[in-house]
Each structure stands twice: as C-alpha cells, then as structure tokens.
Amino acid sequence: MTSSRQSSTNPFALAISSFISDLKRSEDAKTPFYKEVLTQINNTPPGLDLTSERNQCADRLATFVHDLERRQKRDSKTRWVTEKLRPLMSGLDQYTRICDLAIQAAPSAAMLLYSGARLVLQLGQSFNSCFDTILSILEDIGHLLQCYHLFSTAYQSSVDMQNQLVESYKNIIIFWQRASRLLGRKAYKTLLVGIVKSLSAEWQICRQRLHDDSERVKMLAQATEAAMRGRKDLEQTNRRQSKVRREIVDWIKACEDEEALDVRQSIHTNIEIRHENTCEWLFEHPSMAQWLNAKKTIAIWHNAPPGAGKTILASSVARRLQDKGLRTVVFFCSFNDMALRKPITAFRCLALQLLTLSDTVPDKVLRLYEEDVKHHCFQLKDIKVAVEVVEGLLKQLSRVHIIIDGLDECEDRSELVKYMSRLLQTKTYGIVKWFMSSRSDHEIRNMMIRNEILEIEGTQESRLTDIKRYVTDTFHARLNHTCEDCIERWTSDSEGNFLWVTLMLKIIEGEDLTCEEEIEEQLSQFPKGLTGAYVRTLTQLSKRPERQQQLARRIFAILVTAAQPLHLSELSHALAMGPGQVEFPVKRIPRLQLIEELCSNLFIFDRNSKGSESDPLIKIAHKSIQEFFQQDPYTLEIPQDLRHYFVSRSASLEIGSACLQYLNLSRYQLPQDIESILENEDHAFLRHAATFWHYYLNNAKHSKQLFEEVEAFVQSQAFWTCLAIQARAAPHLFACYIKDTDCGHYKMDIIAPCHEEENVSYAFPLPEWLENYQPSGSKLIQSFHAFVRAWHPMLTLHPAALDQCVMGEPWEAVMLGRKEWLSDRVNAFDLSPEQDWSLGFQTLCVINVKIDTDLAEVSLLGSYPSANRWILRMIYSQFDSNTGSLLSDPRVVESDSQNIPPNNLTSSGAFARNEPFWLIDPNSLHTQQLTITEKDSLEVLETKFTASPLEPIGGNWKLVSRASSPTFDTESPSENQTVVALHLIQEALHHDSDALSRHDSALDSSSSRTPSLLEFSSDSGVGSDESSLKESATRNCLLIAQENELPKWHFWNSSAESPRVEVLCATHPTKHLAVWSPSTHEICIMHLPTGHLESTILPEPADIQLSSATAMRKELRFSPSGELLHYLLYAVEEYEGSIHSKLSVSTFQCSVDNDKDVALQQIHSTPTLTYKCDGALRYPLMLSSWTPDHLYIALPQLYCKPTILRLPLYSLENEDDEQNASSTEASAAAIERGGFETLRDPIYFPATTPNRNPQLKLHSRSSGNNTSCETLLTLTLDAEISPKSSNTGAPTTPTTPTIRTPPQLLTSNLSPSSSTTTTTTSSSYWVPYTQSISDSHNPKNPNNLKNPKPAQGTYEMLRGSFVDTDQRFNVPVRSGLDWTRKAFLSCA
C-alpha cells in the first residue's frame, strides 16, 4: 500500500489515474460534478496517505447524510435516510479498501467515489418526488459493491480481480457524473417526470454494468478457488508437517543434551587423531568389500581387543561413506559419558538422524508420537517405543548406512543386544547396511552368530602395520630417534594395541632421557599389554618419596570412586582434609603441579570442554584404567609394594569421611550468606561434599563410631549449611518421586499430587543404615523425613528461605542445630502433647485459637478408638505465644458414648460448662447437641438427622469450607455464641430418580412442618424439578448450626459442566439472617428462626468472566454493624501447568426489612486483581481472614509460597466521629485505587497445608508492659493422621491410626522487630500489589505459562546445576506414608 500521493507503477492504478484525467479534460468546468468533485482533487494536501484520505471522505459523506436526515425529519419528509444509505456507506468503505490493497490507487480515486455520492444526494434532495428513487439507487449500489468484500481477501492479488475493480470504478464514477448532470439542470425542476425517467434509464445502464461486474467477480472466484485452495492446502500441510516434525524431534530428544546426540564433532575429532595412511587395511578386507558392494540389506561386525583403535576405524568408515555422498547414520557408545552409555540414547540418536534423511514422517512414527502425547508423555523414554521409531524410519529409506561403535560400552548390555537383534531382523523396503564394532564380548558375539552377521576381526599383521607406521613417525618427530630395532621391538610388544603405544610414548617423553643409549635402554624394558603399561606407571610412582606415594594412592582412590569427575580445585581441597581438623588447613593443600605429575598418564586434565586452564576437570583416560584399579591386586602378578594403589571398598569411606570433615569445619557452623560462599574458590569442595557425602557413606562399611560422627553432624548447625548447599546445587535431593503404577517407573516432581501419597516417595539425603543404631538413629530419620515432607517445595523452589521452614518442638529437639538457622519472624507450635499421639486419634482438629498479650488459648476436638467405640476428646490449652510452652495442664473433656461418630466438628470453640453446642459429623450430616457438665463430662441434649422420613441423604459427604460468625443479639447474649456454617459436597454420577421424587414429595409436605430441617434447590435458584436432579453430578449442602437453635440444612445440585464453588456463608450480627451465594448472580437469604428461604439477584463484577471459570470461591461477610455486606469472588481458570485467576471484593449497602427482605446497593467501584501462578488447581482455592478494617487473603500456591494480600474495607461505622470519618475516607480512597497490598517480605506455608483444613487469622497482641502492638498472621493446621484405619465402623486394634503430624499453629510476625529503627512502622511491611510482584514470587516465570513440555523444565530444574549431565545420579528415597520404607533410585 502506498503511504503518500506518490505516483504508482501499478498498471491498474495508472488506468484509474488516466480515467480521472480524461474526465477532467472532457467535463464541462461549469457543471456541478466538475465544481464539487473534480476540483477537490487538486486541493488534496500533500503527503496524505490512502487510509487518511479514505477516512476523511467517508466522514464528510457520513456527516452530510446525518444532517440530511435531520432536515428530512424536521420537514416531515422521507425518514430513515441513514438506514437506507447504510449499505452504500458500507459498500463504498469495503470497495475502497480493496482498491487500496489490490491496485494501490491514488487518494483521488476514493475522493471521487465519496464526493460523487455526496453530490448526487445534495442535488437530489431538491426533488422531493424522486428522492426515494435516488435513495433506492444508492442502496442498490451499496449491495452490489459488497461482492468485492466477499472475495477481496482471497483474490486481492488476482490480475482479473484488479481489472474488474477498475471497470466497476469507472461505471460508478460515470453514473455519478451523468446523474449529477441530470439533477443539475434547472429545466428539469419543472419536468419531474422527465428527470425521473432519464435518471432511471441511466441507473438501469449503470446497474446492469455493476451487476455484470458482480457476476464476473463471482465467476472469477469460482474459477480460481480450486487453485488457490490447493496452494493454501499445500502450504498448510507443509506448515503442519514442519510443526509436527519439530515436535517429534523434541519428543525423540527427550531430556538428552544436544551435544550427546550430535556425532559430527566426535567424527571430526577421531579423524584428526587418526594417523595418516592407517586404517586402509579395513577397506581392503574382502568382507568389507562385500559389505560396500552389496545390493541388499547386510550387516558386518568388527571386533578387536581394548585399545585396538575400533572407534578411529568406525569414524574412518563414516567419513569415507559421507565423502561419497551416501546416507550415513552414526553413534558412538562411551562408558565415560552417562548419556552415551545408555541404549535408549543410541536409538534416539539413530532416530533423529534417520528422521533428518526422511522427506516425510512415517505414519507409524506419527502414531507412536500421538499415542505418547495422548498419555501426557512428552519425552520418548520407553526404549521399546524408541526401537519402533527406528523401525518405522528404516522402512521409509531406500538406502542407508548405520555405524554403531562401542556396543560393549553400553551399561545395559542385555537390553542393547535384545533390541539390536530386533532391528537387524527388521524387514525393510530399501537397503540397510549395518556396521558395528566392539570387543569380542560373549553376549555380543552370540547375537552376531544368531543373526548371521559378517565378522571382521582384523589380523594382527594389519594392526601391527598401522602401529609400525605410527611408531616410526612418532619416534622421528618427538624423540628424534630412528633406531629400526627399537621400532620393531615396540611394534611387536604392542601386540596390536594402539592405546599401549600411546601410553608408552607419553611415559617415555616424560622421563627426561638425554641420549640415544638411554632411550634404547628404556624402550627395551617396557612391559607388554595394557596391564603392563599401567603397572609400569605405578612402578615409576613407587620411586617417588613415601609421602608422594601416599598422596598418589589417595588421589587414585578419590578419582576412581568419585560419583562424578572432580575439578582440580575440588580434588586439592579434599586431599587437604584429615581427622580432627576444625579449621580448613589451607597450608595442607598439595601443590597442583604435583597432583598433575602424580596422575601421570592415567588421567586426563580437561582444560577445554568442562574445565578451564586454571581449574581443569580430571577424567579417567580409558575405561580399562578404571577396571584396572578396581581389580583385586592379589589376583594379578603385581609386586607387593604396588598393591596399595588399588582401590578397595574402604575408598567410599575415605572420600565420604573427607566430605564429612569438610562439611564439619567451623566456618560452616553458623548461618551465613550461602550464595557468596558458593562463588568463593576458598570453598571449592563444598558443593561436591554436600551433594555426595551421604552417598559415599551409604556405600561404606558403617560402624558405631561412624554413626556417632554422622549423628553429631546431623545435630550440628553445619548440617543446615550443608542442606542449604544441597538445595541450591542438587534440588533433586529434596524432590518427590511419584510412582507410575502401570510401569513401575518414577517421575521426579516438585510437589506430589493431591491425595496420592501412597505412590509418593521423598528424597532423603542421609545414609540409610542410620536406623540400625537405635533409638537415636530412627529419631533422626523420622525427624528429618517429617521436615523434608513438609518443606520439600520450599527447598527446591526457594532455598534462600530455609530460615522460614519451621519445625515442631519434638522434631527440633532431635535436630538440635536447627534453631540457630530459624528466623525470629516465624514460629511453630505443636498444639497437642506428644504423649497423646499414641492414643490412635482418628481426627484431631483445631477449633479455635485466641492470642492476647503473651497468652495463646487453643481449643482442639478429636476422637480415638477404645473398646470398640469412639471416644470424643475436647482439649482446651493455654500456651506461651512466644515460646509455645504449656502454661498449665490442658483441660480435657471426654465422652464415653457409643453413638459419637469418629469425624466431628463443633459449633463452639470455647467448651464452656453448661453452655449447649452442636457436634457435627461432616461425613453423614448428623448433628448432636451436647453440653459440658460441672464434672467435665459430656451430656447429649438432642440429636437431629438430615434424613427425611422417606429417603435418607446418605453418607460420604466431604467438607468444602467452614465459616463462623458471632450470633445475632439476644436478650442475654453470650460472647461465646457463634453460628457455624459448613459447605459440604457429595459427588455422585447418578441419582435414583424415584428416590429424588420421594425427596421432592417430602419437601413439598415439609413446608407446613417445623421449619426447615431440609431444603433442596438447584444451582439456578430455590427449588428444582426432577430432570435437573437427574443431570446433577454433585450434591451440595449448607449446614448452619447455632448454640440455642435447631440446625438448618439447605441442599442444591451442581451440574457437571458448572464450576466447583466454595461457598462461605455470612450471618447478620443483629438480625436473624444468614446469606450465601451458591451460584452465579444468586444470593440466598435464610430467616434463621423459621428457616424461610428466599433468593435474589447478586450483582457480579462486570470484568470477570465466570462462564469460563474452572472453580470459584464466593464468600460473604457483614460489617460489624450489619449495614454493609462484603462479597469476595475468586474465579480460577485452570490451564496445563498453571492457573489464571481473578479476585474481586464488592461492597453493598445492605438494608433489611422485617428481618427477611434484603436490598443491596453497591456503594463504590469493585477492586479487582488478576493473578497467575504455575501448578495445578488445589483446594482450598485460597484462604481469607476478616477484621473490621481489613481483609487478608492467601492466594496459591498454598503448599509453598502463597501471595498474602491485604485490602482495606469500606466502613460506614462512626462517620460522625471526625477521626473515624477520616479513616473511612482513606479506606474508600484506597479501595478506589485498587487497594490491594502485599507483604514486602513473603511468608511460606508447609507442603501439607492444603490437606490439613488450614485457617488463616490475624491477631494483635501487646507484650507485657510494652505499649507497642504486634500483628501476628497465624496459620492453624489440623493433625495429620496416618491412613491405617477406616473412617467408618468400629475401631479395631490392628488398624489403630497414629498421628503423623500433630495439630500446629504457625505464626508470622508482621510487625517490626525490636532491633529495627524507630522510623519503621508496621505499614512498611506492606507494599502496593502489582503483577510484577506476583511474578517475582514465581520461580518458573508465569509470564511464559504456555509450556507444552512441563516435565522437561521441571526435570532440568530439579536435577540442578552441579550434577554432571554426563552422569547418572542416585537418590535415596523414603515413602511418604511410611518413613521406614526406603529405596534407592538411579536417575538419568
């Protein structure tokens, strides 16, 4: 599109410009068309682009039409001019747009179209009788032009379409010209019949032309549609195939390092190592010639002993084939690389290269990919599927050469042999040529024999020829030595082993020989074979001083035993450690040059790929070296004085002890800046020691002394320094591992799925043999297991917040060093004494917590089995809110009734004597009214059931939410009276229609009975018919209990399609009303004395889309005076791996007439907040706590790092008071601004929070004589009960449940500490909330929530940055349900 009035080179634009020029020349300058239309072209401002010109012309015409309609209405003439001309306006707009796009016409083209139409209307308004005809003509023009809009997008580049545009343009302009001539002649004003006739004739000619243009456009569209659709389909298919190919490539790659799957660098490196003119014997071998010339599928196997140059030969074959332009696929197995020694990596690498050679993705491969994705497997991890992928790709290629080297270096030989046999037997449509190389392993040889594979076993003579050529050139180049006898002797002694020759040359180069005689003497003394070469190296070391020999022995033990290769700095720090050291002995670090000398030719100092010039990575030079050191020296003919160099089982104890000693240094005994010490080279061994100490000691021979050393370490402050390092360097040590019950494999994740802990284990980085040393060993394990289970998401996602991870008193009594690491801002109290844990509680719930000054009052309710019945136990305790210590013995009330159900909630938390309260069984909805006698025993006053006389409700109800409010005023109010409202659900896929009919009948007849023991409604209002009940998937119940009144039940149904709603009821502080919102736009009002129920419309926030919500929380709350009703709405949409939510708080002025009619009027704008976070949807959706002035909210994720919000509440109370009025105005202003604040410093919740009925509260307390007031945010959690007993039925001894975690109170001090400056105020702990703050709370970048492969990112994050990607890592785990069940997982 042109952007100015520049001339266009488009021939169609030029044609229109030429047509306009011809019009200007031929048109009489006195006509209205020339004066009003053509002259405007010359007045167009320069630089005006097409869009601006078109918009201005359209605006002028629209303004004229609007004024015309206004005049016509005023004069009582033709009405609805705008409506009649709307098609013309739309048609002209669409037509001029396509002109802009297709032919880049000059701005004057659009001006003529619009100005001409305006002129015709202007002239036509003088002719009242024919004005309707003119309007109809213009309306028809608009309709005819719309055909261009229908086809413009698809055919705007069509030459034929552009030609039609030009013709249509000419026809319209010519009609404007001729119509204006007719309407502009004064003589026609008295001859109206003539003008109408002439105008109609001109219109018929123009209309026919436009109609013909329209038909031609349609014909063009039909003629070109097939071709364009074909091109689009092809492009779309290509895009789709490219997208699918990329996705399949990512699926095949899985979590493998791209470098491991790219063999090009390996081929290049091996070809550079190959000595010139060697390896030629292979291509001259008859079997190799047969393989190269074969016209059918064929396989060949080259086998040779270690060090014979098999990898160099395989690389030479690959390069020879590639140079000829033949399709070649290559893979090198390597024992030194964790990825390259896995069979599945071999098949992944083959599949990727074969896919690159294939033009299309085979149907079989596509089907395998789609099947995995269907089951949420975004990575190819099943080796069977990987082999099937290779099979599918092989069948599509006409010819391919596959080279696999190092079959013997795979870690799972039997698995490799099994699937290689399958591939070798695969029937293909083309030619597949296999070249394999390995040692002559028995298992591999049998596979070759079974599959009748050609064998090449290079002759000794051929290898010796290559070695002689190499030795000759090397002697001459490096030693300047040309003695033929020496060359012949070395060639013969090598026995065809290139590795031996290479090692010998390195050794002799390092011996500082001074003359030919010394060289010949040394050459004559070299031993034969690799073992001899390694013994020669050790013999050279034995000539060094004793201290250096001992250092060399320690070096070999550490390097051969290490879980992953060490850097030189790490090794040097490990070597410096010794028994009894408290401070790090810097002066005991061996000279780095000496370490390198002692490693001789047995280890490689890598200063390139993963090392640096100053700190190289030390690797074992060859697999045979590791095998050599791990042999029993007594089975070899090795001199006595060399046997101490070999690595025994004590090596694990040696390196493990070095790690433990390093971690126990005094510099790690105090909390410190972990990030800074990790970056400091003075702590080089810290990462390795922290990550692997438990692994080494787990493999070591343990003893009482070793246990005591480990116990002292675990109970020290240094252990928590170690844990902080582990959480940063190796988060997998605190991950959860979820077992796939179908295949038995484990998946590593951050948090376990809800209610699936029977298949979940937790990483446990302590030696598993600790429990052998009783009783302290088991206590250590149990305490640390409880800690990891509670805080593992924190350790993996937010390791810097380790000081916020609080433990209960019994656990901290075992982990003695923990207290020094805790922040003074947080605290945790166990609310039941440890001696009660063995009673076998089925439930133990926190009913109420009250904190004032230094006193915390706690009420608990639980039940436990005894003699085939359930005992109800109520506990009232007083704690020191600073230390958590009991101030007196708890007051305990117990019942011995057999009718007490095992699961209970209560309507009261005070447990006052002689005050009635309701005991509620959430499972069955049964209620009992009880009172506590003067002797602290329970007396049942009344029992009420929800069952109707005709049909029981049934059991298995599940508590969704619980809300409590002060009761309405009575003549003798009690401060302990409360109203408790429980929202419960009963999920069922089908309901019995007859039963529901009987239910409806019972409800109809119950309206005249005692009010309201039962109500039933649908989610759309009060009452429902049978059909809606049949479709219901979830039954809901709201149970309202008051101390001095009968309970009320209200039932309704939720359809399967509707979002799950958490309903929290509010009770009016002075009226007998309860209100709740069960569904969108609905509020229910119950008159509590009578149970009368009404519903009305609840205004929902306009900017929250509730139709797409997955779940909602609808919470209502009255202000203390009852004049205001606050409505909290939290709507959540769940996506794959993330949740998006919106939060709003509306405030209504609430007026109540006759204690039941409620009117709501919104009094200010609704503050709304958008929130995103990673993770799955969990219940409860959020937590809230209301105070008279503020609303406090905890948003997900509640199992780790919640977002705590505060919102000031609008208030009408005491507005006459100047101070309170000012406060009210301030809160209203804050609400108008959006109002939400969040904590400056976040707080953290344990992972078990969502499953333990969490309750969030704000408490203000003053400490003793201190006039300052502290604000505490508290989280109460019910006890966790081990699932060893059924929830129903009489208890029995074998299945007695136990308390896993007691009920707890977690406190966070939101006020400044005493050490802060006096200028710091509590308000400074709150900052305005923004989405950027929410993002900073999320470690996985919630702005990039669309993640098609969430498992890959989680795996990489949990694996950590320290564990070598080339190494398999091992993780000890313990069951989430039973800490005594343990396992050892090996992870790739």
Side-chain angles (χ1 to χ4, degrees), residues 38 89 141 181 271 300 437 518 697 722 814 884 1002 1014 1208 1339 1381:
L38 295 177
M89 304 291 289
I141 290 176
R181 284 179 183 176
I271 292 300
I300 195 168
S437 63
E518 290 180 357
L697 293 184
C722 170
V814 177
L1014 191 59
R1381 292 167 50 196

Side-chain angles (χ1 to χ4, degrees), residues 754-755 956-962 982-988 1019 1033-1037 1052-1064 1077-1080 1105-1115 1127-1134 1141-1142 1177-1182 1250-1251 1253-1254:
C754 294
H755 312 299
N956 298 320
W957 288 85
K958 179 181 178 181
L959 180 65
V960 176
S961 62
R962 179 178 187 265
L982 308 180
H983 176 207
L984 307 103
I985 61 172
Q986 183 188 52
E987 294 181 335
D1019 58 3
T1034 303
R1035 305 170 74 185
N1036 294 262
C1037 174
W1052 71 95
N1053 298 291
S1054 299
S1055 66
E1057 294 77 17
S1058 61
R1060 172 171 167 175
V1061 181
E1062 292 182 352
V1063 176
L1064 281 88
S1077 176
S1079 61
T1080 305
Q1105 297 295 326
L1106 299 179
S1107 58
S1108 59
T1110 308
M1112 290 187 290
R1113 180 184 178 102
K1114 296 168 74 69
E1115 182 172 358
Y1127 169 39
L1128 183 155
L1129 173 64
Y1130 181 61
V1132 182
E1133 290 185 59
E1134 185 174 23
S1141 56
K1142 280 201 169 184
L1177 186 65
R1178 290 173 179 258
Y1179 297 96
L1181 298 176
M1182 54 166 284
N1251 303 325
N1253 187 29

Side-chain angles (χ1 to χ4, degrees), residues 59-124:
D59 290 343
R60 286 195 292 269
L61 178 59
T63 301
F64 177 79
V65 169
H66 178 72
D67 293 341
L68 178 62
E69 181 176 43
R70 183 164 46 81
R71 290 195 301 271
Q72 293 284 3
K73 289 181 178 180
R74 182 188 61 199
D75 298 337
S76 300
K77 297 178 181 178
T78 304
R79 296 178 180 274
W80 312 118
V81 174
T82 303
E83 190 67 29
K84 294 280 284 185
L85 294 181
R86 183 171 286 114
L88 175 69
M89 304 291 289
S90 175
L92 286 177
D93 179 67
Q94 296 164 1
Y95 179 78
T96 53
R97 286 178 187 276
I98 185 56
C99 283
D100 290 351
L101 292 171
I103 59 180
Q104 292 91 46
S108 56
M111 183 183 298
L112 285 181
L113 286 171
Y114 283 103
S115 299
R118 182 162 55 85
L119 176 62
V120 171
L121 281 171
Q122 184 178 351
L123 295 173

Side-chain angles (χ1 to χ4, degrees), residues 896-922:
D896 57 358
S897 171
Q898 294 182 337
N899 296 322
I900 298 295
N903 301 301
N904 296 281
L905 289 173
T906 180
S907 62
S908 173
F911 301 151
R913 293 183 178 92
N914 300 319
E915 291 290 340
F917 62 92
W918 287 97
L919 193 67
I920 305 163
D921 178 12

Side-chain angles (χ1 to χ4, degrees), residues 1152-1180:
V1152 182
D1153 296 331
N1154 301 323
D1155 284 345
K1156 44 178 139 175
D1157 296 330
V1158 176
L1160 302 178
Q1161 181 179 357
Q1162 191 162 348
I1163 59 176
H1164 65 77
S1165 60
T1166 299
T1168 303
L1169 175 145
T1170 301
Y1171 183 76
K1172 302 176 184 178
C1173 69
D1174 286 330
L1177 186 65
R1178 290 173 179 258
Y1179 297 96

